[in-house]
Amino acid sequence: MTRRAFTALPPAQQAGILCNDPQFQKYVGRHCLRLSWDVSPSAAAQYLRDICRVTSRRELNADHAARQRFEALHTDFDAWAGRLACPEGR
C-alpha cells in the first residue's frame, strides 16, 4: 500500500489526522484556548469545527471559505510547532 503525502489528502482527512496529533492538541489547549493543559482529540476537533465554521469536517472538502480558514489554522499550528522555516535575520 502506497502512502499519500499529507498535503495530497482531502482537507477533511487532513483535519482528522491533525485533531489526533498530540502536538496539535497541545497547541489548541495551551496556545489557542490558553489552558494549562492539552485538550482531547474530540475537543481539538470541536475547536477546529468552530474556527472553520463547519458542523462536520467533511464540509472542508467543498466549502472554499472553510478550507481557507482550515489552511490558516494549519499554517499557524505549523509555525507554532516550528515546522515552518523562518527567513534569515529574524
Side-chain angles (χ1 to χ4, degrees), residues 7-90:
T7 55
L9 299 173
Q13 192 171 356
Q14 290 179 17
I17 292 168
L18 200 59
C19 291
N20 285 295
D21 179 340
Q23 195 169 18
F24 183 72
Q25 295 161 14
K26 181 176 185 174
Y27 162 79
V28 170
R30 299 184 183 204
H31 177 73
C32 300
L33 301 177
R34 308 282 188 220
L35 303 171
S36 59
W37 61 86
D38 305 352
V39 300
S40 67
S42 61
Q46 184 60 55
Y47 178 80
L48 186 142
R49 287 190 302 270
D50 290 347
I51 291 300
C52 295
R53 299 184 214 149
V54 296
T55 56
S56 169
R57 291 188 304 246
R58 269 181 277 149
E59 294 174 52
L60 297 172
N61 293 338
D63 183 330
H64 180 71
R67 185 169 44 253
Q68 286 182 317
R69 289 187 287 272
F70 170 68
E71 289 170 358
L73 175 64
H74 190 206
T75 298
D76 190 54
F77 165 62
D78 282 344
W80 175 85
R83 296 177 182 171
L84 296 178
C86 290
E88 295 226 15
R90 278 188 137 187

